[in-house]
Amino acid sequence: MKDKGVKATRKSRQSFTQRLSNYLLAGVLITAPVTITLWLAWRAITFVDSQVTPLIPLKWNPENYLPFGVPGLGLLVIIVGLTLIGFLTAGYIGRLLKRASDALVKKLPVVRSVYSWTQQVFETVLSQNSSAFNEVVLVEYPHRGCWVVGFITGRTKGEVQSLTDDTVVNVFVPATPNPTTGFLLFIPKQDVHHLDMTVEEGIKLVISGGILSPSEIKKLTQDEKAKKAAEEAQAHHKPSVFMKLRNYFFGGMLVTAPIGLTFWLAWEIIILIDSWVRPYIPLKWNPETYLPFALPGLGLFFIFVTLTLIGFLTAGIVGKTLLRISERLLDQMPVIRTVYGAIKQIIETIFQDHSNAFREVVLFQYPRPGSWALGFYTGDSNRLIKDISEDESINIFLPTTPNPTSGFLLFVPRKEARMLTMSVEEGIKMVVSGGIVTPEYHAPEQEQEKLTVEAVSSDHAAKPVEKSEESDKGTESQKAAS
């Protein structure tokens, strides 16, 4: 009897602790999503406020007249400002000012490259007729029979399309749980399967590693896809005050985001270099010692002058002698000589006039036959690799999207690599933008005829959508004229 009572007491204790753990898990399931969502939103709002609120004039800042702060004031100012800019640039004077500013920015050597890329990305992504990151697809990766979720960024054009046998599309295959990085692939159109799934559901599926999956996932036929696109386009063009404000907001973003992002990046780089270099400038040579204000870009200027002076001195006999002596001293240090030798070899290889490292863009099949990717040629493969592999191989760096500073080093047979005429800068832009930014390509007559036929055949299925868009554009133009 005593044993039975002890067992019953243990069972009651276990059931009580089990109930407590269940209540705890239920509380976590209820509060965690809401808490994390509100915390992320609050962090975003406070970050925007900290960046924007100091720029608001004191007369227009309501916090000067209130005894408390106004959370979200910076976000509200951004929304109102972008909407107002979009409204002003929709007129004739605004368009003239935009053209003048574009022409001015494109005259700056380094800034114009970043500005043109960001402008093209924003115009493509925010365009009403854009297909970039608007469709979720299923493709075979990394081999046949294995499938992954991807996002279409556009139809492949230019030189990449001309070198492939089939009509291919740009597909971004994201990583898990961070969908902001992945690979840009060019996959044949017949191997891309469109899913009846929103982009939001696709991102949730990727981030959760398959834990959060839509209840129904089915493949869309061409007719269903065209019908869905026509319904979305028709709903998108419904005239309303909200849609007008939304268009003004995106118009303001299209105007301000590229130039704002370009100058912000340039300013951050200048400030970073100044913070590193300025402390090493002697006070006698620092012009800020004699001026009542700071000089942005002073560190960058000193780096440019110093490197030019060092290059001038080392071109002579005395400079070359000092360089040899310093290299001998470094070679005698156990750990430093290894790091120095590797860095020196990399820099000399990249900056040599006859070097081909990162000077050519390559198109090759990855990760399976029929699927293509962009890479950068870094040189011929080592003799050991050539002895092991059957064919002559070359070194190709396969970058990730949108961060091209990481990726894989692959040894690809030379006969399977197709060298492109696009520059390395254009290749990097294409990789970083996920295929949205495609460089211009002047194909020969035979290739041009092939591209024209493929474009007509691929667009033939989308005629119902195009007709509805053209009719919507016609009604909008009539309303604008009236």
Side-chain angles (χ1 to χ4, degrees), residues 349 355-358 376-382 386 393-397 409-412 414:
T349 303
S355 173
N356 291 324
F358 291 98
F376 299 96
Y377 171 73
T378 61
D380 295 334
S381 299
N382 190 278
K386 290 182 179 180
S393 301
I394 59 174
N395 305 338
I396 294 179
F397 173 68
L409 173 62
L410 304 176
F411 307 105
V412 181
R414 185 184 293 274

Side-chain angles (χ1 to χ4, degrees), residues 417-449:
R418 303 183 181 182
M419 300 295 179
L420 303 179
T421 59
M422 70 173 67
S423 63
V424 174
E425 182 182 358
E426 292 173 338
I428 292 175
K429 287 180 181 179
M430 194 171 184
V431 170
V432 172
S433 66
I436 295 175
V437 178
T438 303
E440 295 182 0
Y441 173 60
H442 302 288
E445 294 182 359
Q446 294 180 353
E447 293 184 3
Q448 191 66 37
E449 291 177 359

Side-chain angles (χ1 to χ4, degrees), residues 38 40-56 61-63 69-84 249 253:
L38 293 177
L40 288 174
W42 179 256
R43 293 287 296 178
I45 290 172
T46 52
F47 174 75
V48 174
D49 286 352
S50 63
Q51 300 294 320
V52 178
T53 304
L55 304 177
I56 302 174
N61 193 340
E63 294 182 350
V70 181
L73 178 63
L75 186 63
L76 178 64
V77 170
I78 287 178
I79 294 174
V80 174
L82 291 178
T83 306
L84 184 61
F249 173 76
M253 187 178 292

Side-chain angles (χ1 to χ4, degrees), residues 267-283:
W267 181 258
E268 287 294 323
I269 293 172
I270 291 172
I271 294 299
L272 178 65
I273 294 175
D274 286 353
S275 64
W276 287 350
V277 178
R278 190 181 286 114
Y280 299 101
I281 302 175
L283 294 176

